[in-house]
Amino acid sequence: MSASTPTQKVTAWLDRFGAALAKNDIDSAAAMFDEDSYWRDLVSFTWNIKTAEGCDQIREMLKATAAQSKPANWKIDGEATEADGVTEGWFSFETAVARGKGLVRLKGDKCWTLLTTMVELKGFEEPHGATRPMGVEHGVHPGRKTWAELRAQEQAELGYTKQPYVVVIGGGQGGIALGARLRRLGVPTIIVEKNERPGDSWRKRYKSLCLHDPVWYDHLPYLPFPDHWPVFSPKDKIGDWLESYTRLMELNYWGSTVCRSAKYDAAKGEWTVEVERDGKPVTLRPKQLVLATGMSAVPNVPKFPGAETFQGDQHHSSQHPGPDRYKGKRCLVIGSNNSAHDICAALWENGADVTMVQRTSTHIAKSDTLMELALGGLYSEQAVKNGIDHHKADLIFASVPYRIMHSFHIPVYEEMRKRDADLYARLEKAGFMLDFGEDGSGLFMKYLRRGSGYYIDVGASELVANGSIKLKSRVTVERINPKSVTFSDGTELPADLIVYATGYSSMNGWAAQLISNEVADSVGKCWGLGSGTTKDPGPWEGELRNMWKPTQQENLWFHGGNLHQSRHYSQFLSLQLKARMEGIPTPVYGLQKVHHVS
Amino acid sequence: MSASTPTQKVTAWLDRFGAALAKNDIDSAAAMFDEDSYWRDLVSFTWNIKTAEGCDQIREMLKATAAQSKPANWKIDGEATEADGVTEGWFSFETAVARGKGLVRLKGDKCWTLLTTMVELKGFEEPHGATRPMGVEHGVHPGRKTWAELRAQEQAELGYTKQPYVVVIGGGQGGIALGARLRRLGVPTIIVEKNERPGDSWRKRYKSLCLHDPVWYDHLPYLPFPDHWPVFSPKDKIGDWLESYTRLMELNYWGSTVCRSAKYDAAKGEWTVEVERDGKPVTLRPKQLVLATGMSAVPNVPKFPGAETFQGDQHHSSQHPGPDRYKGKRCLVIGSNNSAHDICAALWENGADVTMVQRTSTHIAKSDTLMELALGGLYSEQAVKNGIDHHKADLIFASVPYRIMHSFHIPVYEEMRKRDADLYARLEKAGFMLDFGEDGSGLFMKYLRRGSGYYIDVGASELVANGSIKLKSRVTVERINPKSVTFSDGTELPADLIVYATGYSSMNGWAAQLISNEVADSVGKCWGLGSGTTKDPGPWEGELRNMWKPTQQENLWFHGGNLHQSRHYSQFLSLQLKARMEGIPTPVYGLQKVHHVS
């Protein structure tokens, strides 16, 4: 064995694994995994998003799924590589109903990590390349309709005389990316969005907002950004992109439409969704309901005593218009994460007197350092040059088991601490409460665990460090007065403006509001891994709770996250929905339990 | 020599050629070309679009251009190939001011064909990939403006308080593709378009219209169609693409704007362009004026006696609304090219009584056959699989000298005649006058020579062959009566509708209308190679007259053609304009003479 090449090693492992599974010899297959091993499956075996950890869980998962999924045709894809005692190789495989792609890492001749992902359903492949539509049907067709006429007819009928199979509530990047995939799969879908136009959920935010993730991380499915697109898209520009994309992908996008209620009829297997489109009530009856309202749907505004007596402007960060009208005014921004920093900096740049109120510690990561140390290997110009485009990067990213992900991140943030030590020292001197996550694993783990608690520094930290943005730290708000705010340490600050940069409530809260408390409770908390860290209570789940996968409420789905997640996980959600529409059996393995009702 | 590989042969040729040019030893360099040889240069040596034919012309061209252009760094790119005694290889090179890419074909150790193209100007490269803009400027910038604010400011100022360097008249695919390239090059440009929205020049045509060229041929610069885009885009869908593209590329596109006049001040080197934007007069003062009104700008409507007495509907094909209101009506369509066939078929499909009036012979090429035999090698899914994307295809396409291009096309159309013999026989039996071009070289040569004279059959020919579309052939219109048309053979046909599918007048006519007869006459005819065939009078020019290159009128340019040409030649036109803006010397070699004033 030791003389063989990495490619031979991976090929041998795949051959043996495939042979064991072909004979349904689960014990032999499971014995090919290391004691310390992880199998992450995205829909292909489990009809779920699931990580089995260790031999026992893997054996259990295989016992439940292998006979039905009938895996076969395990084939290495390209050349395997070897580094630090780990052999890594791409492969393709098939199940009874689908084709898949995967990434395996071996330690010796045992598997350490395995990723299996569904790519397409057999017989229901997305038309593309040689199978794309002709556009014009050659020949002679009396009474034929043009593309524009058929589109107009579809738009007039869908939701009125014809029911969509899927209704997606929320037309941000999540709803749009999923909508594009469902369109290619031929799944009739309506996207419901309260704002008028696609992209408005970006456009309507504070005017200095730019994406905090770089362009290589942000592509939507099927239509990548052109190669001169800015690294950090300004909010209005990404708004324009989403709007054009929605149109070019021919999505049935209902803007200016508010969802009033949704109710599931288990006997009929159908939702009744009441919406108001341009003020007129419409009843939709889809089989599947997707909540894609995102992590930033329902503003969280703390109730401080006396707020109603305040005589200046006060609003949540999502309502903040930007700095123009606050030149020379005294502004208090409550909060210390991304929005708080962005808003403080823009106010200061426009000549306001700004104080940031920091109630709990915050993780600061300089954008340049983050790009270079954390994202650069997968999502950067250099990565593209190295042959790692976002398709490949998404799979590599997905192949790292959540259980051990923090251990790869900790050294990155140790390096960041060193590299930006000067900034961190000056921030602490200014009174800023810093953290790097409870275990020092930094930004992305905080994002996965709790979706908050950090600022990607694009300049504001310098203003905090040098005192341009004043800091009120280690306090909470005690009381709001007509022209000032009183803090828990007894001090008082005059204010003309209060911005509540206090985040958003969970997606589950939105299900409660839209459907019912009962359904929200039965589904439980969305997001978080169960790491047992702040705002991410255990037990360990090992995947993001309720995201992109079956929930305890039949035919209810949650979709969201950043552009990367919206792009990548919409693939798996769209395949789950398509399979159900086509009546393909979708036995779910390991449906997640409910541990937290919110 | 004979033992060396194709790559070694091409490398050796490039080395020797580069060495001769480095010493400015023009005679040695010219002696490396076969007697029967062609050097096509796109801007890199000649600041022109020029083919030198044979050793003597090549020597003359080198003598005039080599010392100034200082070519160097000739390097083979990838592996060369050999077939049928011809060795072919890609290469890169530099001049004093630019970087270029080329394709060389050798017969033995002599050059048979050489293509040299300019890719980018040194020091003025388009920002992309690693040099793309950041989008957000990190750090602290008091008073900074957002992307949306800067865009709004640019739109408010350009054309009013700031003058564009270039004005493009015509906002179809040509103006848009050129505008996108000029934008990336940082050349302030306004595109003037009479229609309201980008894409309207497609949308407003007859409703059954689809592109007759397949998707692989039609990409715009920088943002290729996604891989599920239909093979033949319906007109409204391509309209949507152009509109979204214009917005995403941030073009300064003045819709609903009519150009009234343009006058050149030679002393100032500046145009005065009078336009009406939304009905309000605006005076623009660009240095450069591009007419991108296309081959289909000014409808050509023949004047038939009695036309004013006709009591039914009559209009040019460009005004034809589609068949809906003509069910059961008697329709005469005068003409037998693409539009005539499309309109006849749509009318027939909608239950009209249709007669096509064919005055001269027409080349018919079945779309499927054309795609497979003529375009497939360069623009198809198979070509993409073979590693020939549209970038590569465009250069291969450009590398075939116009002088001998027909000789490569004749066998293709001989094969087409055989393959579709049945259709052709039935068309002739129905009285249809067929041709394959005067020398049997078919569709694309007709397009280059005269821009007309063919139909790409997507179904209508069958209707002509089987008599569903009635044919009135070998006649001209004698007279139009209130309710009928009388033909040159004395027959008369009743009519409720007359469609003049009679084509368009030349781009030169548009220059006369817009600028002056004097300027139009000094520039002369646009389009055509000078092949001495019908509607393409000699003498031989060897390139499309006046297209994408300097004309006899300083700082006046013509841009147009199909999507392929709009994409590819906008590259060379944009580089010529950018060089002039930056004050880079652009000595034009071989400025074309005027042989035809229209």
Side-chain angles (χ1 to χ4, degrees):
Chain A
M1 273 310 267
S2 65
S4 62
T5 67
T7 300
Q8 287 168 336
K9 281 184 197 170
V10 169
T11 305
W13 190 89
L14 289 172
D15 287 349
R16 280 198 295 138
F17 190 57
L21 291 179
K23 291 184 292 187
N24 207 27
D25 179 358
I26 304 303
D27 287 330
S28 297
M32 294 177 64
F33 288 80
D34 200 271
E35 265 314 301
D36 168 38
S37 60
Y38 306 88
W39 181 356
R40 186 165 194 227
D41 181 57
L42 302 181
V43 178
S44 63
F45 277 70
T46 58
W47 289 103
N48 199 351
I49 292 184
K50 196 77 196 167
T51 304
E53 303 179 351
C55 269
D56 292 347
Q57 284 187 20
I58 287 169
R59 184 180 307 106
E60 189 190 324
M61 184 161 115
L62 274 174
K63 279 197 170 141
T65 63
Q68 161 111 15
S69 51
K70 298 190 179 57
N73 270 329
W74 300 77
K75 281 185 192 149
I76 193 165
D77 189 2
E79 297 292 316
T81 56
E82 201 162 83
D84 304 326
V86 176
T87 312
E88 183 173 307
W90 296 94
F91 62 88
S92 61
F93 66 101
E94 289 182 29
T95 65
V97 300
R99 292 180 198 90
K101 192 169 164 71
L103 183 59
V104 65
R105 294 190 187 88
L106 306 178
K107 285 184 174 173
D109 60 351
K110 300 262 187 180
C111 175
W112 174 40
T113 75
L114 179 66
L115 173 73
T116 47
T117 74
M118 188 183 288
V119 172
E120 61 185 5
L121 292 160
K122 292 179 185 173
F124 302 99
E125 298 82 1
E126 296 182 9
H128 73 283
T131 61
R132 70 178 77 216
M134 287 302 285
V136 60
E137 217 174 326
H138 290 184
V140 173
H141 306 274
R144 85 159 103 189
K145 293 199 163 133
T146 66
W147 173 83
E149 287 169 332
L150 289 169
R151 247 326 250 152
Q153 183 182 337
E154 180 186 18
Q155 286 171 322
E157 289 175 354
L158 197 70
Y160 297 98
T161 58
K162 288 186 180 173
Q163 285 305 318
Y165 183 74
V166 177
V167 165
V168 180
I169 310 292
Q173 63 222 20
I176 288 171
L178 178 63
R181 293 198 188 268
L182 291 172
R183 180 79 186 182
R184 279 220 339 190
L185 285 167
V187 177
T189 301
I190 290 174
I191 301 168
V192 170
E193 167 61 39
K194 67 178 188 303
N195 287 307
E196 194 185 342
R197 295 187 295 147
D200 278 356
S201 44
W202 284 100
R203 287 192 196 93
K204 290 190 173 177
R205 298 199 62 201
Y206 53 92
K207 76 172 196 178
S208 65
L209 178 64
C210 289
L211 296 195
H212 289 81
D213 293 321
V215 61
W216 307 278
Y217 193 70
D218 300 331
H219 295 293
L220 290 173
Y222 312 126
L223 188 70
F225 295 110
D227 69 357
H228 66 290
W229 201 263
V231 176
F232 299 105
S233 289
K235 73 181 177 74
D236 297 282
K237 193 163 170 66
I238 200 74
D240 285 355
W241 181 265
L242 289 168
E243 188 172 9
S244 292
Y245 182 90
T246 298
R247 185 177 183 190
L248 296 173
M249 295 292 158
E250 302 182 24
L251 307 190
N252 292 299
Y253 191 96
W254 287 16
S256 304
T257 304
V258 181
C259 185
R260 293 296 178 202
S261 69
K263 206 176 160 186
Y264 188 64
D265 181 332
K268 287 166 104 177
E270 186 177 283
W271 291 90
T272 300
V273 183
E274 303 288 355
V275 307
E276 262 177 50
R277 186 183 194 189
D278 293 319
K280 287 187 202 117
V282 184
T283 303
L284 300 173
R285 301 189 187 282
K287 301 294 179 191
Q288 308 285 343
L289 182 65
V290 179
L291 298 188
T293 46
M295 318 247 300
S296 308
V298 187
N300 176 37
V301 182
K303 296 199 191 315
F304 295 122
E308 71 288 355
T309 71
F310 186 64
Q311 290 172 5
D313 285 1
Q314 56 180 331
H315 44 238
H316 186 261
S317 59
S318 59
Q319 305 298 315
H320 180 64
D324 295 350
R325 67 178 81 149
Y326 301 109
K327 192 182 169 85
K329 303 287 183 185
R330 293 159 306 185
C331 306
L332 284 185
V333 177
I334 299 174
S336 53
N337 289 345
N338 269 332
S339 297
H341 276 85
D342 279 351
I343 290 170
C344 282
L347 285 166
W348 183 86
E349 285 185 346
N350 272 266
D353 176 83
V354 191
T355 303
M356 178 187 285
V357 180
Q358 187 187 31
R359 300 169 302 164
T360 55
S361 69
T362 307
H363 171 47
I364 304 288
K366 276 178 82 77
S367 175
D368 297 344
T369 313
L370 190 69
M371 282 231 290
E372 189 186 332
L373 297 181
L375 275 177
L378 292 182
Y379 300 97
S380 67
E381 207 60 40
Q382 190 55 49
V384 173
K385 273 193 190 146
N386 294 343
I388 300 177
D389 62 7
H390 62 280
H391 302 290
K392 212 163 181 175
D394 286 353
L395 289 171
I396 298 174
F397 207 79
S399 74
V400 179
Y402 285 131
R403 174 72 89 176
I404 53 174
M405 190 178 271
H406 63 284
S407 66
F408 300 101
H409 287 215
I410 289 167
V412 170
Y413 291 87
E414 281 170 356
E415 173 63 24
M416 187 179 286
R417 265 188 231 245
K418 278 186 217 155
R419 188 177 296 200
D420 299 325
D422 174 63
L423 174 69
Y424 292 130
R426 288 185 298 122
L427 278 171
E428 292 198 308
K429 201 172 162 203
F432 195 87
M433 294 183 284
L434 280 175
D435 72 60
F436 283 79
E438 275 170 45
D439 52 3
S441 61
L443 194 136
F444 193 70
M445 293 311 301
K446 267 199 159 182
Y447 174 70
L448 290 174
R449 290 165 175 174
R450 50 181 280 198
S452 67
Y454 50 82
Y455 168 53
I456 299 177
D457 178 31
V458 293
S461 289
E462 189 55 44
L463 293 174
V464 173
N466 71 23
S468 299
I469 295 173
K470 298 169 194 164
L471 188 67
K472 190 77 194 166
S473 187
R474 296 177 169 76
V475 294
T476 55
V477 172
E478 184 82 21
R479 186 172 71 245
I480 294 179
N481 314 304
K483 298 186 171 186
S484 67
V485 172
T486 305
F487 295 97
S488 50
D489 63 354
T491 59
E492 184 178 343
L493 280 179
D496 305 304
L497 166 70
I498 303 173
V499 180
Y500 300 98
T502 42
Y504 297 85
S505 68
S506 105
M507 277 174 271
N508 181 281
W510 219 82
Q513 196 174 312
L514 186 69
I515 308 170
S516 69
N517 283 326
E518 292 68 32
V519 166
D521 287 354
S522 77
V523 167
K525 187 175 186 295
C526 295
W527 209 263
L529 301 167
S531 63
T533 58
T534 307
K535 298 195 182 178
D536 183 28
W540 178 248
E541 178 66 33
E543 293 286 346
L544 285 175
R545 292 189 200 278
N546 281 315
M547 296 306 297
W548 314 296
K549 61 185 179 180
T551 68
Q552 291 284 346
Q553 169 61 55
E554 191 181 32
N555 298 354
L556 176 67
W557 310 80
F558 293 88
H559 178 53
N562 58 30
L563 278 151
H564 152 74
Q565 291 165 314
S566 295
R567 169 183 69 246
H568 195 209
Y569 288 95
S570 58
Q571 176 184 332
F572 308 107
L573 180 47
S574 68
L575 289 168
Q576 291 173 80
L577 293 166
K578 174 71 175 176
R580 281 161 176 82
M581 186 177 97
E582 300 297 346
I584 296 169
T586 56
V588 175
Y589 173 74
L591 183 68
Q592 77 155 67
K593 294 194 180 70
V594 177
H595 297 294
H596 309 282
V597 296
S598 68
Chain B
M1 273 309 270
S2 64
S4 62
T5 66
T7 299
Q8 287 167 336
K9 282 184 199 172
V10 169
T11 305
W13 190 91
L14 290 171
D15 287 349
R16 280 198 296 140
F17 189 58
L21 290 180
K23 291 184 290 182
N24 206 29
D25 179 357
I26 303 303
D27 287 330
S28 297
M32 294 178 64
F33 287 79
D34 201 271
E35 265 314 301
D36 168 37
S37 61
Y38 306 87
W39 182 353
R40 186 166 196 226
D41 180 58
L42 303 180
V43 178
S44 63
F45 277 69
T46 58
W47 288 103
N48 199 351
I49 292 184
K50 196 77 194 166
T51 303
E53 303 180 351
C55 269
D56 292 346
Q57 285 187 21
I58 288 169
R59 185 181 307 107
E60 188 191 327
M61 183 160 116
L62 274 175
K63 280 199 170 139
T65 63
Q68 161 111 15
S69 51
K70 298 190 178 58
N73 271 329
W74 301 77
K75 281 185 192 150
I76 193 166
D77 190 3
E79 298 292 317
T81 56
E82 202 162 81
D84 304 326
V86 175
T87 312
E88 183 174 307
W90 295 95
F91 62 88
S92 61
F93 67 102
E94 289 184 29
T95 66
V97 300
R99 291 180 200 90
K101 191 168 165 71
L103 182 60
V104 63
R105 295 190 188 89
L106 307 179
K107 284 185 175 173
D109 61 351
K110 301 263 186 179
C111 175
W112 172 43
T113 74
L114 179 66
L115 173 74
T116 49
T117 73
M118 188 183 287
V119 172
E120 60 185 5
L121 291 161
K122 293 179 184 172
F124 303 99
E125 298 82 1
E126 296 182 8
H128 73 283
T131 61
R132 70 177 80 217
M134 287 302 284
V136 61
E137 218 174 327
H138 289 184
V140 173
H141 307 272
R144 87 159 100 191
K145 294 199 160 131
T146 66
W147 172 85
E149 287 169 332
L150 290 171
R151 248 322 251 153
Q153 182 181 338
E154 180 187 20
Q155 286 171 322
E157 289 175 353
L158 197 69
Y160 298 97
T161 58
K162 288 186 179 171
Q163 285 304 319
Y165 182 74
V166 177
V167 166
V168 180
I169 310 290
Q173 62 221 21
I176 289 171
L178 178 63
R181 294 200 187 265
L182 290 172
R183 181 79 186 183
R184 280 219 340 190
L185 285 167
V187 178
T189 301
I190 290 175
I191 301 169
V192 170
E193 166 60 38
K194 66 177 190 302
N195 288 306
E196 193 185 343
R197 296 189 294 149
D200 279 355
S201 44
W202 284 99
R203 285 190 198 95
K204 290 191 173 177
R205 299 200 60 203
Y206 53 90
K207 76 172 196 179
S208 64
L209 179 63
C210 289
L211 295 195
H212 289 82
D213 293 321
V215 62
W216 306 279
Y217 192 71
D218 300 331
H219 296 294
L220 290 173
Y222 313 126
L223 189 69
F225 295 110
D227 69 357
H228 66 291
W229 201 263
V231 175
F232 300 104
S233 290
K235 73 180 176 77
D236 296 283
K237 193 164 170 66
I238 200 74
D240 285 357
W241 182 264
L242 289 168
E243 188 171 9
S244 292
Y245 182 89
T246 299
R247 185 179 185 188
L248 296 172
M249 295 293 157
E250 301 182 26
L251 307 191
N252 292 299
Y253 191 97
W254 287 17
S256 304
T257 304
V258 180
C259 185
R260 293 298 179 199
S261 70
K263 207 177 157 183
Y264 188 63
D265 182 332
K268 289 167 102 174
E270 189 175 281
W271 290 91
T272 301
V273 183
E274 303 289 354
V275 307
E276 262 178 50
R277 186 183 194 190
D278 293 318
K280 286 186 203 123
V282 184
T283 303
L284 300 173
R285 300 190 186 281
K287 301 294 180 193
Q288 309 285 344
L289 182 64
V290 180
L291 298 189
T293 46
M295 317 247 301
S296 309
V298 187
N300 176 38
V301 181
K303 295 199 192 317
F304 295 121
E308 72 285 356
T309 69
F310 186 64
Q311 291 174 3
D313 285 1
Q314 57 179 333
H315 44 240
H316 186 262
S317 60
S318 59
Q319 305 298 315
H320 180 65
D324 295 350
R325 67 179 82 148
Y326 301 109
K327 192 182 169 86
K329 301 288 182 186
R330 292 159 306 182
C331 306
L332 283 186
V333 177
I334 299 173
S336 53
N337 290 343
N338 268 333
S339 297
H341 276 85
D342 279 352
I343 290 170
C344 283
L347 285 166
W348 182 86
E349 285 184 346
N350 273 264
D353 175 81
V354 191
T355 303
M356 176 187 285
V357 180
Q358 187 187 29
R359 300 169 301 162
T360 56
S361 71
T362 307
H363 172 45
I364 303 289
K366 277 179 80 79
S367 175
D368 297 344
T369 314
L370 191 70
M371 283 230 291
E372 189 185 333
L373 297 181
L375 276 177
L378 292 181
Y379 300 97
S380 67
E381 207 61 38
Q382 190 55 48
V384 173
K385 273 194 189 144
N386 295 343
I388 301 177
D389 63 7
H390 61 281
H391 302 290
K392 214 164 180 176
D394 286 352
L395 290 172
I396 297 173
F397 207 78
S399 75
V400 179
Y402 285 131
R403 175 72 89 174
I404 52 173
M405 191 177 270
H406 63 284
S407 67
F408 300 102
H409 288 216
I410 289 167
V412 170
Y413 290 87
E414 281 171 356
E415 173 63 25
M416 189 180 284
R417 265 187 231 244
K418 277 185 218 155
R419 190 178 294 201
D420 299 326
D422 175 61
L423 174 68
Y424 292 131
R426 287 186 296 121
L427 278 172
E428 293 200 307
K429 202 172 162 202
F432 195 87
M433 293 182 285
L434 279 174
D435 73 61
F436 283 79
E438 277 170 45
D439 52 2
S441 62
L443 194 135
F444 193 68
M445 292 312 300
K446 267 199 160 183
Y447 175 70
L448 290 174
R449 290 166 175 175
R450 51 181 281 196
S452 67
Y454 49 83
Y455 167 54
I456 299 176
D457 178 31
V458 292
S461 290
E462 189 55 43
L463 293 174
V464 174
N466 71 22
S468 299
I469 295 173
K470 295 169 196 164
L471 187 67
K472 189 78 192 167
S473 187
R474 296 176 166 79
V475 293
T476 56
V477 172
E478 184 82 21
R479 185 174 71 246
I480 294 179
N481 314 303
K483 298 189 171 184
S484 67
V485 172
T486 304
F487 295 98
S488 51
D489 63 354
T491 58
E492 184 179 343
L493 281 179
D496 304 305
L497 166 69
I498 304 173
V499 180
Y500 300 98
T502 43
Y504 297 84
S505 68
S506 104
M507 275 175 271
N508 180 280
W510 219 82
Q513 194 175 313
L514 187 68
I515 308 171
S516 69
N517 282 326
E518 291 68 33
V519 166
D521 288 353
S522 77
V523 167
K525 186 176 186 293
C526 296
W527 210 262
L529 302 167
S531 63
T533 58
T534 307
K535 296 193 183 180
D536 184 28
W540 178 247
E541 177 67 34
E543 292 287 346
L544 285 175
R545 292 187 199 279
N546 282 314
M547 297 305 299
W548 315 295
K549 62 185 179 179
T551 67
Q552 290 283 347
Q553 169 62 54
E554 191 181 32
N555 298 354
L556 176 67
W557 311 79
F558 292 88
H559 178 54
N562 59 31
L563 279 152
H564 152 73
Q565 291 165 314
S566 295
R567 167 182 72 247
H568 195 212
Y569 287 95
S570 59
Q571 176 182 332
F572 307 107
L573 180 47
S574 68
L575 289 167
Q576 292 174 79
L577 293 166
K578 174 71 174 175
R580 281 162 176 82
M581 186 176 98
E582 301 297 345
I584 296 168
T586 56
V588 176
Y589 174 73
L591 183 67
Q592 77 155 67
K593 295 193 180 69
V594 177
H595 297 293
H596 308 282
V597 296
S598 68

